[in-house]
Amino acid sequence: MIPRSFEYSAPGTLDEAVALLQKLGSDAKILSGGQSLIPMMKLRLASPPHIVDINRIPGLDYITEKDGFLRIGALVRESDLERSELVRSRFPILVDTTSVIADPLVRNQATVCGNLAHGDPANDHPATMLALGAIVVAVGPRGERDVPVENFFPALFTTALEADEILREIKIPIPPPSTGGAYLKLERKVGDYATAGVAVQITLNNSGACTAAAGIGLTNVGFTPIKAVKAEAFVKGKQLDQAAVKQASEIAAGESHPVDDIRGPADYKRDLVRVLTARAIVRALERVKGGV
Amino acid sequence: MTTENSSRTSTVPETDSEEYSSVNPATDMIDCKLSRRDFVKTVGYFTGAGALGLQLISVETIVECAPLEFSASAHTVELTVNGLVHKLTMDTRVTLLDALREYLKLTGTKKGCDHGQCGACTVLVNGRRINSCLSLAVTHQGDQITTIEGLSGGEELHPLQTAFIEHDGFQCGYCTPGQICSAVALLEEARRGDASFVTPDLAHTGRVELTPEEIRERMSGNVCRCGAYPGIVQAVQTASRTL
């Protein structure tokens, strides 16, 4: 339970951190909350020769609304979402998500951005960010660039970040009125990864039909977080009555690619996606109508 | 001999002052040269009035630790624990938990799973409860760390400690320091109005009413193998009414 030896640096600015990453290349690993990295290092599943601790960089722990986006800085902890009035009033789906991640102790250290940067399809925020149409802001020696979250997870435990880039911010478009979202997860016990999880975000037009902005994301039922694009296309323009919800959830289940493991057989998980999708759509509709 | 008893009643017992004047619990423990006799005295110091002294100490005390000669990647950090500053040179791999237990000999904080799953190692860092096993000691330069040893005011227990005794919130006691540290932060989070998974109304931002359901959810990071949960929930609820 002791990691391999590593060098440790705690840069005081983003520029210094990027310069270090540039110098060290793939030898470096960024430490933010460390709640996935440190266990992996203890199990020696990861043995980075150099840890670059970004926790000493000031000004990265912001949750703000600016230029049409909710912006979550690199050092925002999961528990910060649970106490942010902005998030609670405008993005209850984010509270749904954070409150089922690990346990309160872990959430006090784990960061939201780290939850994406780790690239684990079992993590919960990726599905939610897919449903919300979030944008990842990466900073590196060539400056900043925006990566739509649907392009951020090319493969298992892989992200679109280059070795010398840092995930600086997550940008979430401020949704129009008549929008609601929900994240539902089944876990065997507190602290477990999802057996399956589903995030749904929908916006209704004046006649009560679903607009093109619908987003559906799936957790831990594939090698990457899954954007259920067929289900999204299906709900577009539809009145979400019982039959439409049923059909959408069946389509979403068909887009999942679960495997048999200790959390259950693939068929069970696929059916779980169906059930959770239906429930998440219903919950999202309740929130459109003003419920939290 | 009544040294243990006398040490519980005053910081520097008059009856045995010469012996005690040579005792500096912090340095004695760090040198790791404790005799059994010193150990007993030190325990007395920490569980007795001495703990109050530690908590109220205003002058920073710097304790030098011998550098690790065998470590390829040693790093020096100043850890502020229960009001005392300790300058430690450690392998970068040392977790906050191991720094507390193995370097500072503050063994109140327990190692359970060493994996962030059980909560036995819960401490407060700048008022936030965290798993000290999932945090590297070198990352805590300048942070205010509070362990179970820093909660009581000497003879006067922290209200949560009293409530755990009153409600039998433990059996073997191994998870208890973590449970209590966790509950201390929980009460502050509830006072501040933080939401949890079972909070019915996210729009409500005032103080959270700590129902048994809320307490169970909020204590879910601290596992008790003896199953003392009913007592733990009652203890936290009682303390929430008195604090």
Side-chain angles (χ1 to χ4, degrees), chain A residues 1-9 31 33-35 38-39 41-44 51 53 55-56 77 79-80 82-83 85 88-89 92 95-96 99-100 102-109 189-191 287 292, chain B residues 72-73 75 91-93 95 113-117 119 122 128-131 133-136 138-143 182 189 192-197 199-205 217-222:
Chain A
M1 296 294 278
I2 295 173
R4 286 215 170 82
S5 274
F6 57 84
E7 295 294 324
Y8 171 83
S9 304
L31 173 72
Q35 301 302 281
I38 293 174
M41 288 167 64
K42 283 184 160 191
L43 292 169
R44 304 206 176 191
I51 288 292
D53 177 7
N55 287 279
R56 297 282 152 190
R77 313 289 159 173
S79 55
D80 295 336
E82 292 172 293
R83 69 180 62 118
E85 279 189 41
R88 286 165 65 152
S89 58
V95 182
D96 290 352
S99 65
V100 292
D103 61 53
L105 305 168
V106 170
R107 293 201 291 273
N108 268 340
Q109 293 202 90
K189 63 174 189 66
V190 164
R287 281 183 169 152
V292 283
Chain B
S73 45
H75 203 92
D91 192 301
T92 51
R93 295 177 284 178
T95 59
C113 68
D114 205 21
H115 223 70
Q117 311 242 315
T122 306
R128 284 184 166 217
R129 46 179 169 157
I130 68 163
N131 287 313
C133 73
L134 287 193
S135 193
L136 300 171
V138 293
T139 64
H140 289 289
Q141 174 76 35
D143 287 342
S182 192
E189 291 161 12
R192 201 168 47 201
D194 293 3
S196 84
F197 181 68
T199 304
D201 180 9
L202 291 180
H204 174 76
T205 52
E217 170 62 26
R218 289 164 191 265
M219 289 298 285
S220 61
N222 295 83

Side-chain angles (χ1 to χ4, degrees), chain A residues 48-274:
Chain A
H50 203 120
I51 288 292
V52 177
D53 177 7
I54 60 169
N55 287 279
R56 297 282 152 190
I57 301 175
L60 289 178
D61 58 352
Y62 54 86
I63 304 174
T64 55
E65 186 180 338
K66 197 182 159 206
D67 301 331
F69 289 97
L70 175 77
R71 293 162 188 267
I72 299 172
L75 291 179
V76 170
R77 313 289 159 173
E78 294 290 354
S79 55
D80 295 336
L81 296 181
E82 292 172 293
R83 69 180 62 118
S84 160
E85 279 189 41
L86 175 61
V87 170
R88 286 165 65 152
S89 58
R90 303 289 297 280
F91 292 90
I93 185 175
L94 287 177
V95 182
D96 290 352
T97 312
T98 198
S99 65
V100 292
I101 292 173
D103 61 53
L105 305 168
V106 170
R107 293 201 291 273
N108 268 340
Q109 293 202 90
T111 63
V112 183
C113 289
N115 198 270
L116 296 192
H118 189 49
D120 187 344
N123 279 356
D124 295 284
H125 279 300
T128 300
M129 297 303 170
L130 284 169
L132 292 172
I135 292 162
V136 170
V137 181
V139 59
R142 298 160 297 279
E144 276 192 8
R145 66 184 179 113
D146 285 357
V147 184
V149 75
E150 59 260 40
N151 301 335
F152 190 68
F153 304 105
L156 182 67
F157 281 107
T158 307
T159 70
L161 291 171
E162 300 291 339
D164 55 6
E165 284 183 317
I166 297 173
L167 200 171
R168 191 179 69 83
E169 181 181 278
I170 299 168
K171 295 199 295 191
I172 301 170
I174 300 291
S178 298
T179 297
Y183 180 70
L184 295 180
K185 166 186 183 177
L186 183 79
E187 55 184 358
R188 297 172 304 170
K189 63 174 189 66
V190 164
D192 193 17
Y193 290 111
T195 305
V198 177
V200 169
Q201 170 94 342
I202 46 177
T203 303
L204 301 185
N205 63 21
N206 289 338
S207 55
C210 201
T211 70
I216 300 175
L218 312 179
T219 299
N220 211 12
V221 284
F223 289 119
T224 65
I226 291 170
K227 185 171 164 66
V229 287
K230 290 176 192 163
E232 288 174 355
F234 172 79
V235 297
K236 180 185 168 187
K238 292 235 168 34
Q239 299 283 340
L240 289 175
D241 55 17
Q242 219 175 342
V245 171
K246 182 171 181 288
Q247 221 176 326
S249 62
E250 282 163 3
I251 295 170
E255 291 182 83
S256 66
H257 303 286
V259 292
D260 298 349
D261 66 11
I262 50 167
R263 293 183 183 83
D267 285 348
Y268 163 68
K269 293 182 186 180
R270 206 172 292 115
D271 202 47
L272 188 56
V273 171
R274 179 185 64 79

Side-chain angles (χ1 to χ4, degrees), chain B:
Chain B
M1 271 298 282
T2 57
T3 48
E4 297 97 300
N5 290 338
S6 61
S7 71
R8 282 163 208 262
T9 53
S10 75
T11 311
V12 183
E14 287 168 10
T15 52
D16 208 1
S17 59
E18 204 174 310
E19 248 186 282
Y20 272 80
S21 65
S22 64
V23 176
N24 177 336
T27 50
D28 269 13
M29 288 191 299
I30 284 163
D31 286 342
C32 308
K33 289 174 190 161
L34 282 178
S35 65
R36 184 179 167 78
R37 184 182 168 82
D38 285 336
F39 176 74
V40 171
K41 283 192 289 193
T42 310
V43 170
Y45 194 96
F46 271 98
T47 55
L52 179 63
L54 275 183
Q55 212 173 31
L56 299 180
I57 216 156
S58 57
V59 180
E60 289 190 345
T61 310
I62 294 189
V63 182
E64 291 277 2
C65 242
L68 278 181
E69 284 164 16
F70 54 83
S71 172
S73 45
H75 203 92
T76 300
V77 64
E78 286 177 8
L79 290 183
T80 308
V81 183
N82 302 330
L84 271 174
V85 179
H86 306 276
K87 190 173 178 183
L88 302 173
T89 301
M90 294 177 293
D91 192 301
T92 51
R93 295 177 284 178
V94 176
T95 59
L96 178 57
L97 172 62
D98 285 341
L100 293 170
R101 289 182 57 85
E102 308 299 332
Y103 286 72
L104 303 180
K105 302 297 168 188
L106 290 170
T107 51
T109 307
K110 301 301 183 211
K111 182 180 279 193
C113 68
D114 205 21
H115 223 70
Q117 311 242 315
C118 77
C121 67
T122 306
V123 299
L124 307 177
V125 174
N126 301 327
R128 284 184 166 217
R129 46 179 169 157
I130 68 163
N131 287 313
S132 59
C133 73
L134 287 193
S135 193
L136 300 171
V138 293
T139 64
H140 289 289
Q141 174 76 35
D143 287 342
Q144 295 291 327
I145 298 154
T146 305
T147 67
I148 188 73
E149 290 91 343
L151 288 181
S152 73
E155 284 286 292
E156 199 182 325
L157 293 178
H158 187 282
L160 266 160
Q161 291 174 309
T162 309
F164 266 68
I165 293 168
E166 188 186 325
H167 291 284
D168 272 343
F170 51 85
Q171 187 176 318
C172 81
Y174 196 79
C175 69
T176 312
Q179 299 276 2
I180 291 177
C181 283
S182 192
V184 168
L186 179 159
L187 294 183
E188 174 57 21
E189 291 161 12
R191 192 195 57 73
R192 201 168 47 201
D194 293 3
S196 84
F197 181 68
V198 298
T199 304
D201 180 9
L202 291 180
H204 174 76
T205 52
R207 185 185 185 126
V208 175
E209 193 202 338
L210 284 174
T211 60
E213 192 188 16
E214 279 281 6
I215 293 168
R216 281 194 290 268
E217 170 62 26
R218 289 164 191 265
M219 289 298 285
S220 61
N222 295 83
V223 177
C224 169
R225 277 193 65 173
C226 300
Y229 298 114
I232 293 170
V233 171
Q234 284 170 17
V236 175
Q237 200 164 30
T238 296
S240 75
R241 291 183 184 127
T242 56
L243 279 171

